[in-house]
Amino acid sequence: MLMTEKDKMQAQRTGAIRTAWQLAVVAVLIFFAFILSGVLGR
Amino acid sequence: MNTGIDEMSHQSHETAHDDHHDHKPSGFLNRWLYTTNHKDIGTLYLVFSLLMFFIGGCMAMVIRAELFMPGLQLVEPEFFNQMTTMHALIMVFGAVMPAWVGFANWMIPLMIGAPDMALPRMNNWSFWILPFAFTMLLSTLFMDSGGPASGWTLYPPLSLQGGQSFAFVVFAIHMMGISSIMGSINVIATILNMRAPGMTLLKMPLFVWTWLITAYLLIAVMPVLAGAVTMLLTDHFFGTSFFNAAGGGDPVMFQHIFWFFGHPEVYIMVLPAFGVVSEIIPTFSRKPLFGYTAMVYATASIAFLSFIVWAHHMFTVGMPLTGELFFMYSTMLIAIPTGVKVFNWVSTMWKGSMTFETPMLFAIGFIVLFTIGGFSGLMLAMAAADLQYHDTYFVVAHFHYVLVPGSVFALMAGAYYWLPKWSGRMYSEKWGKIHFWLSVISVNILFFPQHYLGLAGMPRRIPDYSTQFADFNMISSVGGFIFGASQLIFVGVIVHCVYKSRQAASGRVWEGAKGLEWTLSSPPPYHSFNTPPVIDRTTVAHAQELD
């Protein structure tokens, strides 16, 4: 089945939001990893 | 309205769109405070960064005025230290980084054929956090304990000896970091998800590539800075001892964590500059970029290497010989991909039909002067030699060559290159060239003598100095005043172009320009590429890559 323009835009938007969440989670994990490095490294 | 997009010209298509969809929100607040339009947000970032550039520049003028002669003339030493610290924080986080985000906002959707950034509301947030962050940072100058005075590196234990205002500094840095991370997430989400059909990764313009890699760097290292300053905050106010030796902490650990952020940060400010120069050189050489794919891999290599060189900033702190050797050689390795880039820019110009409009002048100035900064970086990379250079004006000369005639010249080049596209009018080429020549001469008068000061042993971050350093300091200060005043011409050129210029810009402003952004009218419609453009040889800048 061919995707309509609206379907394509919706797919783009879903993909963008998924990418954003993945990157946000990575950023938060890095933040806590370095705090942990401070706790363990002292 | 067109129906068959494959045979129409983009120009007529966008003009048709212009008729129907070019509705800007009415009212100042609606247009600028609530905007989700990538062009408006790009403009906000650029105006904000220009303002910060002048605030940080005024602080630089205070520094150079105090250093004009030996002795204490104008300001107290404590205030001098606040000026050096705030100048750096404002220039790095308030001027250069937001300026590149402004370019990204304006140009990435236009270059990849996307209607807007992927997450427009978050885009609005990313920008509007910044004025609050910098208001908070600047407000510390008016507090009893004054602004931060430990240098932008915020090394403990010195930074922990500041007063209550330190909490404001930390919170401001947190907000800048959140803004940068949100901006980067938006850039990556846009590039990975919003490209027009046919715009494969290896057809993207170099500016888009460099920003994609920069955005990954930002997401990787801004949380590291946030973590470091959070630990400073708890050490200062909540009695922890992450970096307090008296409580069992380790101040050197802060330096490792800070520079794990700090070195990639240098490339965050420089990689987009590489991208802009890679757009401008081919346009005014009327040749495709030499070695497009090599440029992409060189950018990625520089980004990778930037994570494994951090301790070259702390050779004198004392570390095992193997550590010194590792960081020395890994740092020198960066010269290889950087050399690839310089070679490719020069090869692009080789036998090209070159013309020297203002963007090209700034781009060539960038290549020559950035390379000088690169060479002094190689000198600093040598662990043995660095024991002498460390914390002297040689370091100040080095990183200012990388950042001012490096990053800032590329920003100027990009601004002159795309200003006609953004505004729909041509700027004054005569005044642009006057701006360039004054800048390029004065920036060398400003920073080149600082190499000699450093080699002769003048320490950085001091308000007074031995009389043996007087002559070079006076020359440097004169250069600084001329450079600072020259930037007023830049503002004049922009204001004249936007409000007064009568010369309309065509869609393809520059004869040799290629890329999707040049298929649109100047200025582009408020909502562009609502229908994806067709990617073909006439629109992609590096047509040979399509073979």
Side-chain angles (χ1 to χ4, degrees):
Chain A
M1 193 176 73
L2 283 174
M3 285 178 91
T4 64
E5 277 300 314
K6 197 177 169 189
D7 291 337
K8 282 180 192 167
M9 284 177 71
Q10 187 58 44
Q12 272 188 338
R13 184 160 175 72
T14 310
I17 291 171
R18 188 180 298 137
T19 308
W21 273 113
Q22 288 164 349
L23 294 169
V25 169
V26 168
V28 171
L29 287 177
I30 293 172
F31 174 77
F32 284 111
F34 273 81
I35 296 275
L36 188 65
S37 82
V39 174
L40 300 178
R42 59 187 288 273
Chain B
M1 191 64 197
N2 294 290
T3 49
I5 55 167
D6 15 350
E7 54 196 29
M8 74 192 176
S9 83
H10 301 291
Q11 184 78 46
S12 61
H13 167 73
E14 287 304 333
T15 312
H17 261 276
D18 218 353
D19 296 339
H20 298 289
H21 298 292
D22 200 20
H23 302 303
K24 296 181 178 71
S26 57
F28 186 83
L29 280 185
N30 275 338
R31 172 79 192 273
W32 298 109
L33 187 61
Y34 304 134
T35 183
T36 53
N37 182 285
H38 72 102
K39 301 178 185 83
D40 282 352
I41 295 174
T43 304
L44 286 170
Y45 267 110
L46 290 171
V47 171
F48 175 80
S49 68
L50 193 62
L51 179 68
M52 287 293 130
F53 183 60
F54 276 95
I55 292 175
C58 287
M59 293 172 178
M61 294 299 105
V62 172
I63 293 167
R64 282 319 320 169
E66 178 58 51
L67 294 175
F68 186 74
M69 284 193 300
L72 294 173
Q73 272 84 227
L74 300 171
V75 293
E76 295 295 317
E78 175 68 14
F79 186 72
F80 182 90
N81 288 343
Q82 292 175 28
M83 286 292 99
T84 56
T85 306
M86 292 290 259
H87 163 73
L89 288 172
I90 284 172
M91 287 305 200
V92 170
F93 296 107
V96 177
M97 286 171 65
W100 286 129
V101 182
F103 275 86
N105 262 288
W106 249 105
M107 299 316 300
I108 288 175
L110 298 185
M111 287 176 143
I112 63 172
D116 205 309
M117 296 294 278
L119 306 150
R121 289 187 185 88
M122 192 169 83
N123 206 12
N124 174 293
W125 261 83
S126 306
F127 172 75
W128 279 109
I129 284 175
L130 282 181
F132 294 96
F134 282 92
T135 304
M136 197 149 54
L137 180 65
L138 285 167
S139 71
T140 59
L141 288 173
F142 303 99
M143 295 178 185
D144 285 343
S145 52
S150 57
W152 84 289
T153 51
L154 303 173
Y155 278 3
L158 186 59
S159 63
L160 298 177
Q161 292 164 13
Q164 302 297 308
S165 66
F166 188 67
F168 286 72
V169 177
V170 169
F171 194 40
I173 291 174
H174 278 150
M175 288 168 76
M176 295 166 204
I178 290 167
S179 165
S180 293
I181 290 170
M182 291 203 300
S184 308
I185 287 174
N186 223 335
V187 166
I188 295 173
T190 304
I191 296 172
L192 296 188
N193 295 285
M194 304 283 284
R195 299 192 310 280
M199 178 62 81
T200 56
L201 286 176
L202 280 175
K203 286 179 196 161
M204 294 194 309
L206 237 297
F207 179 69
V208 180
W209 257 114
T210 53
W211 238 113
L212 179 64
I213 292 167
T214 301
Y216 277 113
L217 283 184
L218 272 163
I219 289 173
V221 302
M222 290 311 286
V224 179
L225 175 68
V229 296
T230 303
M231 287 185 270
L232 281 181
L233 185 82
T234 59
D235 272 10
H236 194 303
F237 294 101
F238 301 108
T240 59
S241 295
F242 286 109
F243 309 125
N244 177 8
D250 182 4
V252 175
M253 184 173 67
F254 177 85
Q255 299 185 24
H256 280 291
I257 297 174
F258 179 86
W259 286 114
F260 189 80
F261 145 80
H263 198 78
E265 171 66 24
V266 174
Y267 293 98
I268 286 164
M269 290 187 280
V270 165
L271 291 185
F274 291 165
V276 166
V277 170
S278 302
E279 299 297 324
I280 292 172
I281 298 284
T283 295
F284 296 99
S285 303
R286 292 163 182 79
K287 275 176 68 190
L289 183 69
F290 183 89
Y292 167 86
T293 317
M295 289 296 237
V296 173
Y297 284 115
T299 309
S301 305
I302 292 170
F304 169 74
L305 288 170
S306 76
F307 283 108
I308 57 167
V309 299
W310 75 89
H312 67 216
H313 293 273
M314 29 192 298
F315 279 142
T316 57
V317 85
M319 69 178 102
L321 181 64
T322 43
E324 299 223 347
L325 288 173
F326 172 80
F327 287 109
M328 178 170 88
Y329 287 126
S330 58
T331 303
M332 288 178 168
L333 271 181
I334 297 181
I336 296 172
T338 312
V340 168
K341 283 185 168 291
V342 174
F343 180 86
N344 285 359
W345 289 323
V346 175
S347 300
T348 304
M349 289 188 275
W350 181 253
K351 292 189 176 176
S353 302
M354 292 169 70
T355 51
F356 298 94
E357 287 85 344
T358 310
M360 183 64 160
L361 290 175
F362 272 104
I364 293 172
F366 167 90
I367 295 173
V368 174
L369 299 177
F370 177 83
T371 305
I372 292 178
F375 282 142
S376 57
L378 271 176
M379 293 170 70
L380 287 162
M382 289 185 278
D386 185 68
L387 293 180
Q388 182 187 337
Y389 304 148
H390 186 84
D391 247 346
T392 69
Y393 254 81
F394 191 83
V395 180
V396 178
H398 155 69
F399 70 73
H400 278 97
Y401 260 90
V402 174
L403 288 176
V404 183
S407 269
V408 174
F409 268 30
L411 282 166
M412 304 286 185
Y416 281 111
Y417 186 54
W418 283 309
L419 188 59
K421 170 57 65 186
W422 298 335
S423 67
R425 298 184 181 92
M426 292 305 290
Y427 62 86
S428 163
E429 197 59 58
K430 176 184 147 192
W431 281 101
K433 284 179 176 163
I434 291 172
H435 174 220
F436 169 75
W437 284 111
L438 276 172
S439 295
V440 79
I441 292 167
S442 60
V443 86
N444 283 293
I445 298 172
L446 166 58
F447 294 123
F448 208 82
Q450 295 180 4
H451 290 111
Y452 299 119
L453 288 170
L455 291 176
M458 179 172 159
R460 57 191 293 206
R461 295 171 176 150
I462 52 163
D464 190 8
Y465 49 81
S466 164
T467 49
Q468 63 176 318
F469 305 126
D471 293 345
F472 279 131
N473 265 300
M474 190 175 282
I475 295 168
S476 179
S477 290
V478 169
F481 299 143
I482 301 172
F483 183 77
S486 306
Q487 304 322 307
L488 296 173
I489 299 173
F490 182 53
V491 179
V493 172
I494 294 172
V495 171
H496 176 266
C497 174
V498 173
Y499 295 107
K500 296 278 183 194
S501 173
R502 290 181 188 156
Q503 194 185 347
S506 61
R508 187 180 301 279
V509 177
W510 311 107
E511 183 196 9
K514 276 193 168 184
L516 284 176
E517 76 267 35
W518 307 109
T519 65
L520 298 169
S521 58
S522 298
Y526 196 63
H527 299 289
S528 43
F529 293 134
N530 282 337
T531 306
V534 176
I535 311 298
D536 59 28
R537 285 184 161 279
T538 59
T539 52
V540 176
H542 39 89
Q544 82 279 10
E545 302 292 333
L546 288 169
D547 293 331

